[in-house]
């Protein structure tokens, strides 16, 4: 198994603004590679450069063993792309959209009909075959977009926030599909906001402000965290959060529902200080216990003011 | 270039056109509406122009001349008036377009063989009509003068040594003897509609894909930029040609405007012209990034030149030199010349080859430039 997607020092500027700032990574064949980052981090910009639809300002990139900048059409044969915003024809029916892309990808006559039916079934849209794509609910649109992206059976698949705004059941089905494809040896590059989805990935890169701030398998990322994570249960979580953020920003406080997470590098010294703070501000602490890091904690840590984990 | 891809694009484009009511409106209804409005509305020829008379002389001579006016068919009686104020009022209300004013001594001076004049006032707000009206009116006056001269000679007993040499003025319009303005209008409308179809529709179809984001998906496919553009413009070239046939047919059926020349030549010119206008559409799409902007620019570069600078409404010969020079860059100018040549005179390529050459040159450079410039990228 070799490397099938590689970026080296990828940079993209829009005017004076640098959206992607020296990103490097490599994706193995058959891997599910997750790209995680907050809004505006540069995920879509990176994916568009990899798909050859946006020119990089500088840097190198290969997809399927092809230099995307010099042979974009070659690279495009090997990829399927599902954009963040629905970009099929809303005034065409489901079937007409599939037919259009079957023509664009020049599926051979003999197998064309079969593949089209197969993708229709994969999208679960047999009943909606003759509905206008624009009239489909969000989840269906996403499935249609995936079906069209897979129509030509590409070995590499780029998915830009494929499950944004989709209900939890559809999301689970979607990920089952993605796992199946990876099982068949397809390489999947996926961006997401969801932590539970990130757990499904073989490897992750966390991106913020156009830079990769952490990378590794989900387990590696969690294990790399130093110090202790404390979970604080209190009746005034929001006040507590504001307080800690003001007084002890280095603990990277984060709210998980009504629970406050803080990470302490030196538990013995810091715990006391924390309790004292709460006491002075009349915040009642119900319980406080050390827990293991979740991906979400890692995410908050890395994106927070504290900074970067070894890449 | 792969046929399968282009066919997929063309088919998709036709489905879109079929589903979008405003497209259908633009393609089929607009040309007909324009033809009917212009055909019935704009008159370059004059007929029965309402005319008022202020006759201060009240003599057989003045009545005689008035009669000649109304007998000509160009003017019709719209009443007698009494003073300039009334004339102005009639003009303002649109009740009259022309006024004849006879001075008190008109009859008596004529009878004495002295010089006199009839004053002709024209409502100049409609420039075309006014110019024509003055021309016809002075023709009638000259005819009347000639009659008077002959009458005088006969009266004095002078026998002319030849048959009555009555010189009547007869202006004859060549190629369009009935001076039917519809005959001029049909070629004009073909030019306007075809440049709108070619430029506006092409630009909107391409910018629309960018604005709606559908271009992003297409850009991620191995479809080449050239294939994309060919697949996008081919449907509109076809539709523009269909429109031309529609207008030609409607012109014949509604207004009895026949084609003297060859259909094949008409088609050849249409093809040349539409390649220029679609090229213009591609250029517009390459410089605008919103549908709104594309539409405005497309209308600006098509409607204005094709109506105002093509010779459709205003004759190019009357333009100031700078404007005249500009019309050489206007494809509409060549197409309208060719169309009028084919339509009205029935001339062939031996006469119209310069127009064909200029159109080819414009088309090739525009299409070539934009096809080379087009990048199948987002930015
Ligand atoms: N065409 C453009 N012109 C100017 N700025 C742009 C352009 N495209 C993206 N940006 C900016 O680049 C930054 C990164 O955008 P990008 O779409 O890559 O973020 P993202 O990580 O995909 O975010 P999201 O989660 O919201 O999709 C943003 O600040 C965005 O405003
Ligand atoms: Mg994005």
């Amino acid at each position: 198994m070799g490397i099938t997607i590689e970026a080296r020092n990828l940079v993209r500027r829009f005017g004076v603004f640098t959206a992607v700032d020296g990103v490097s990574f490599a994706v193995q064949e058959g891997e599910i590679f997750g790209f995680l980052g907050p809004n505006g981090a540069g995920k879509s910009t990176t994916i568009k450069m990899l798909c050859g639809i946006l020119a990089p300002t500088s840097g190198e990139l290969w997809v399927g063993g092809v230099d995307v900048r010099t042979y974009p059409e070659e690279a495009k044969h090997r990829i399927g792309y599902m954009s963040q915003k629905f970009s099929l024809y809303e005034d065409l029916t489901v079937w007409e959209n599939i037919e259009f892309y079957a023509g664009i990808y020049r599926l051979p006559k003999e197998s064309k009909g079969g593949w089209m039916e197969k993708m229709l079934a994969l999208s679960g849209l047999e009943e909606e075959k003759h509905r206008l794509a624009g009239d489909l609910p969000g989840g269906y649109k996403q499935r249609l977009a995936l079906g069209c992206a897979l129509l030509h059976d590409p070995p590499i698949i780029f998915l830009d926030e494929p499950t944004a705004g989709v209900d939890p059941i559809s999301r689970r089905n979607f990920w089952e599909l993605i796992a199946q494809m990876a099982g068949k040896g397809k390489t999947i590059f996926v961006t997401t906001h969801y932590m539970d989805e990130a757990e499904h990935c073989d490897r992750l890169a966390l991106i913020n402000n156009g830079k990769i701030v952490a990378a590794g398998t989900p387990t590696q990322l969690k294990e790399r965290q130093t110090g202790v994570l404390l979970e604080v249960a209190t009746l005034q979580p929001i006040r507590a959060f504001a307080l800690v953020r003001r007084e002890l920003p280095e603990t990277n406080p984060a709210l998980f529902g009504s629970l406050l997470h803080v990470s302490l590098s030196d538990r013995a010294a810091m715990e006391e200080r924390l309790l004292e703070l709460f006491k002075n501000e009349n915040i009642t602490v119900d319980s406080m216990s050390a827990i293991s890091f979740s991906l979400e904690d890692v995410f908050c840590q890395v994106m927070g003011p504290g900074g970067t984990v070894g890449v | 270039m792969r046929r399968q891809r282009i066919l997929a694009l063309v088919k998709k484009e036709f489905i879109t056109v079929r589903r979008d009511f405003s497209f259908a409106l633009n393609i089929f209804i607009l040309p007909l509406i324009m033809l009917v409005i212009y055909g019935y509305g704009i008159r370059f020829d004059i007929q029965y122009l309402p005319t008022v008379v202020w006759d201060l002389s009240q003599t057989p001579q003045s009545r005689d001349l008035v009669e000649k006016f109304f007998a000509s068919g160009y003017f019709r009686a719209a009443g007698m008036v009494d003073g300039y104020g009334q004339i102005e009022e009639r003009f303002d209300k649109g009740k009259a377009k022309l006024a004849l004013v006879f001075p008190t001594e008109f009859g008596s001076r004529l009878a004495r063989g002295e010089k006199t004049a009839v004053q002709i006032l024209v409502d100049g707000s409609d420039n075309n009509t006014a110019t024509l009206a003055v021309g016809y009116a002075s023709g009638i006056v000259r005819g009347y003068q000639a009659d008077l001269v002959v009458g005088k000679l006969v009266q004095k007993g002078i026998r002319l040594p030849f048959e009555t040499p009555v010189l009547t003025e007869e202006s004859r319009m060549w190629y369009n003897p009935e001076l039917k303005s519809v005959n001029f209008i049909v070629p004009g409308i073909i030019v306007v509609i075809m440049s709108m179809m070619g430029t506006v529709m092409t630009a909107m179809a391409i910018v629309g894909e960018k604005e709606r984001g559908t271009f992003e998906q297409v850009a991620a496919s191995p479809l080449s930029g050239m294939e994309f553009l060919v697949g996008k413009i081919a449907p509109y070239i076809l539709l523009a040609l269909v429109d031309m046939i529609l207008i030609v047919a409607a012109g014949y059926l509604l207004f009895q405007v026949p084609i003297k020349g060859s259909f094949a030549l008409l088609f050849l010119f249409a093809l040349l012209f539409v390649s220029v206008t679609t090229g213009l559409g591609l250029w517009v799409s390459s410089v605008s990034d919103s549908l709104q902007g594309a539409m405005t620019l497309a209308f600006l570069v098509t409607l204005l030149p094709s109506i105002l600078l093509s010779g459709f409404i205003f004759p190019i010969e009357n333009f100031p030199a700078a404007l005249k020079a500009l019309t050489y860059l206007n494809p509409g100018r060549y197409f309208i010349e060719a169309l009028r040549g084919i339509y009205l005179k029935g001339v062939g390529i031996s006469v119209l080859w310069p127009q064909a050459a200029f159109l080819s040159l414009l088309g090739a450079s525009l299409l070539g430039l934009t096809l080379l410039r087009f990048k199948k990228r987002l930015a």
Side-chain angles (χ1 to χ4, degrees):
Chain A
M1 289 235 263
I3 289 171
T4 187
I5 305 173
E6 188 171 4
R8 274 192 217 151
N9 256 315
L10 203 55
V11 175
R12 171 69 206 208
R13 293 197 188 92
F14 294 108
V16 291
F17 175 72
T18 307
V20 173
D21 191 2
V23 160
S24 303
F25 57 83
V27 181
Q28 301 283 328
E29 222 170 296
E31 214 175 20
I32 303 180
F33 188 85
F35 220 48
L36 216 64
N39 290 113
K43 305 181 294 293
S44 296
T45 307
T46 306
I47 232 173
K48 283 176 190 166
M49 288 191 283
L50 291 168
C51 291
I53 56 181
L54 193 69
T57 307
S58 68
E60 293 165 275
L61 68 175
W62 291 269
V63 169
V66 176
D67 186 332
V68 182
R69 287 165 317 155
T70 32
Y71 302 103
E73 313 301 328
E74 262 70 11
K76 284 173 188 177
H77 275 291
R78 295 168 168 77
I79 63 161
Y81 170 55
M82 185 178 155
S83 61
Q84 182 172 356
K85 182 180 167 291
F86 184 68
S87 53
L88 295 174
Y89 297 95
E90 303 217 327
D91 51 355
L92 258 53
T93 64
V94 167
W95 189 247
E96 285 162 349
N97 267 298
I98 295 178
E99 230 177 351
F100 173 72
Y101 276 102
I104 294 299
Y105 283 103
R106 303 175 63 231
L107 298 193
K109 244 202 192 80
E110 317 79 60
S111 56
K112 184 171 143 189
W115 259 106
M116 284 164 56
E117 291 291 351
K118 198 170 155 190
M119 285 307 123
L120 188 70
L122 179 135
S123 325
L125 292 173
E126 292 105 323
E127 304 278 308
E128 324 290 330
K129 192 172 171 181
H130 298 298
R131 249 174 104 177
L132 289 184
D135 293 344
L136 296 175
Y140 288 35
K141 279 185 180 172
Q142 255 123 337
R143 274 164 20 208
L144 176 60
L146 181 70
C148 285
L150 298 179
L151 201 53
H152 57 298
D153 200 20
I156 303 166
I157 302 159
F158 290 98
L159 306 168
D160 195 358
E161 295 193 32
T163 57
V166 173
D167 69 78
I169 296 172
S170 307
R171 262 175 61 197
R172 182 182 303 160
N173 294 340
F174 200 94
W175 273 93
E176 271 167 19
L177 210 69
I178 291 177
Q180 266 176 36
M181 291 187 297
K184 285 186 208 153
K186 293 194 184 299
T187 309
I188 290 151
F189 186 107
V190 57
T191 74
T192 180
H193 280 310
Y194 298 110
M195 294 306 146
D196 56 331
E197 292 188 355
E199 297 273 6
H200 295 303
C201 296
D202 296 318
R203 275 189 324 125
L204 291 169
L206 274 58
I207 180 170
N208 193 18
N209 293 325
K211 288 196 173 76
I212 291 187
V213 287
T217 65
T219 323
Q220 280 172 345
L221 285 171
K222 285 180 268 185
E223 280 172 353
R224 253 185 234 148
Q225 296 293 315
T226 49
V228 180
L229 185 70
L230 278 188
E231 189 174 76
V232 183
T234 158
L235 285 174
Q236 303 110 309
I238 298 180
R239 270 184 59 214
F241 170 68
L243 177 71
V244 179
R245 195 168 59 174
R246 194 174 65 237
E247 300 296 329
L248 295 166
E250 66 274 19
T251 62
N252 273 320
L255 270 179
F256 289 72
S258 64
L259 298 170
L260 178 69
H261 286 192
V262 286
S263 56
L264 309 179
S265 45
D266 179 358
R267 185 175 179 179
M270 300 283 280
E271 197 171 344
E272 222 162 291
R273 170 112 174 72
L274 206 62
L275 285 171
E276 200 182 296
L277 257 179
F278 287 147
K279 202 173 152 205
N280 291 345
E281 295 284 328
N282 284 325
I283 291 171
T284 359
V285 174
D286 294 336
S287 71
M288 197 151 89
S289 52
I291 55 163
S292 56
F293 282 94
S294 72
L295 258 187
E296 198 154 352
D297 294 306
V298 177
F299 189 78
C300 294
Q301 280 262 247
V302 171
M303 304 304 168
T308 319
V309 183
V311 177
Chain B
M1 293 248 275
R2 305 294 189 162
R3 208 171 51 97
Q4 198 181 349
R5 289 188 183 144
I6 292 173
L7 284 180
L9 271 162
V10 170
K11 185 174 172 197
K12 184 222 86 180
E13 209 63 28
F14 275 126
I15 295 175
T16 304
V17 169
R18 206 182 64 211
R19 296 232 164 100
D20 189 337
F21 176 71
S22 67
F23 267 117
L25 196 77
N26 282 343
I27 293 164
F28 300 111
I29 313 292
L30 190 71
L32 292 180
I33 291 180
M34 265 189 85
L35 186 66
V36 169
I37 290 179
Y38 278 68
Y40 288 115
I42 294 189
R43 289 279 164 199
F44 297 142
D45 45 339
I46 58 168
Q47 253 181 337
Y48 304 117
L49 210 63
T51 303
V52 289
V53 178
W54 180 18
D55 189 356
L56 288 163
S57 75
Q58 300 287 353
T59 52
Q61 285 87 343
S62 61
R63 280 192 287 275
D64 226 21
L65 183 52
V66 168
E67 209 159 283
K68 285 213 164 351
F69 262 86
F70 296 150
S72 71
Y74 299 125
F75 308 96
R76 72 172 164 80
M80 305 297 287
V81 290
D82 207 1
Y84 287 114
Q86 285 187 16
I87 294 176
E88 198 176 334
E89 191 197 321
R90 300 291 170 94
F91 278 7
D92 286 347
K93 285 189 180 152
K95 295 251 160 63
K97 293 281 178 202
L98 194 95
L100 300 174
V101 182
F102 295 94
T104 326
E105 304 199 314
F106 183 78
S108 51
R109 288 184 79 105
L110 269 188
R112 287 200 300 274
E114 286 170 23
K115 204 176 158 186
T116 183
V118 55
Q119 192 176 25
I120 299 170
L121 299 168
V122 189
D123 176 0
S125 59
D126 180 353
N127 189 28
N128 271 316
T129 311
T131 317
L132 283 170
V134 169
Y136 287 124
S138 40
I140 292 168
V141 173
R142 274 201 300 277
Y144 179 66
Q145 200 178 1
D147 284 357
L148 281 180
V149 173
V150 175
K152 211 60 167 213
L153 294 173
V154 172
Q155 204 179 24
K156 294 216 167 152
I158 301 173
R159 301 270 324 201
L160 295 169
F162 38 80
E163 291 288 291
T164 20
V166 176
L167 202 68
T168 52
E169 192 177 89
E170 187 183 331
S171 56
R172 273 202 57 194
M173 205 69 169
W174 279 15
Y175 307 127
N176 188 11
E178 305 140 86
L179 247 187
K180 258 169 69 181
S181 47
V182 175
N183 292 358
F184 279 115
I185 280 168
V186 170
I189 291 189
I190 293 179
V191 173
V192 174
I193 290 293
M194 283 187 87
S195 52
M196 282 196 355
M197 283 299 296
T199 309
V200 180
M201 295 300 230
T202 306
M204 301 234 313
I206 292 174
V207 177
E209 294 237 5
K210 289 188 179 172
E211 189 161 283
R212 280 190 283 274
T214 50
F215 181 69
E216 190 172 326
Q217 194 68 50
V218 171
S221 80
L223 183 76
S224 77
M226 184 75 98
E227 286 165 339
F228 176 73
L229 291 183
V230 170
K232 286 297 278 189
I233 63 179
Y236 296 99
I237 292 183
L238 268 172
L239 287 173
L241 291 175
V242 167
D243 260 354
M244 186 198 70
I245 294 170
L246 192 73
I247 301 169
V248 168
Y252 182 70
L253 295 174
L254 296 178
F255 299 102
Q256 291 78 47
V257 182
I259 295 183
K260 279 209 180 135
S262 112
F263 258 112
L265 193 61
L266 187 72
F267 230 79
L268 172 79
F269 269 101
L271 217 69
L272 282 178
F273 182 66
V274 86
S275 68
V276 181
T277 55
T278 45
L280 212 56
L282 291 183
W283 172 77
V284 169
S285 74
S286 74
V287 296
S288 22
D289 36 29
S290 76
L291 265 178
Q292 199 65 47
M295 196 138 102
T296 314
L297 186 60
F299 270 111
L300 199 76
V301 297
T302 54
L303 224 48
L304 233 58
S306 67
I307 293 184
L308 301 180
L309 297 179
S310 64
F312 172 21
I313 295 192
F314 306 114
I316 292 175
E317 304 87 73
N318 299 351
F319 285 1
L323 214 53
K324 205 183 269 182
L326 204 63
T327 64
Y328 284 101
L329 282 176
N330 179 12
R333 177 208 162 120
Y334 304 109
F335 191 39
I336 220 164
E337 283 171 358
L339 279 174
R340 285 185 175 159
I342 297 167
Y343 245 98
L344 304 173
K345 305 184 198 171
V347 296
I349 192 77
S350 56
V351 174
L352 294 174
W353 67 265
Q355 278 80 3
F358 273 113
L359 277 179
S360 312
L361 194 72
L362 279 175
S365 38
L366 256 175
L367 275 177
L369 214 73
T370 39
L371 287 178
L372 287 181
R373 245 174 62 103
F374 186 78
K375 290 268 183 308
K376 208 184 58 145
R377 283 253 171 94
L378 294 177

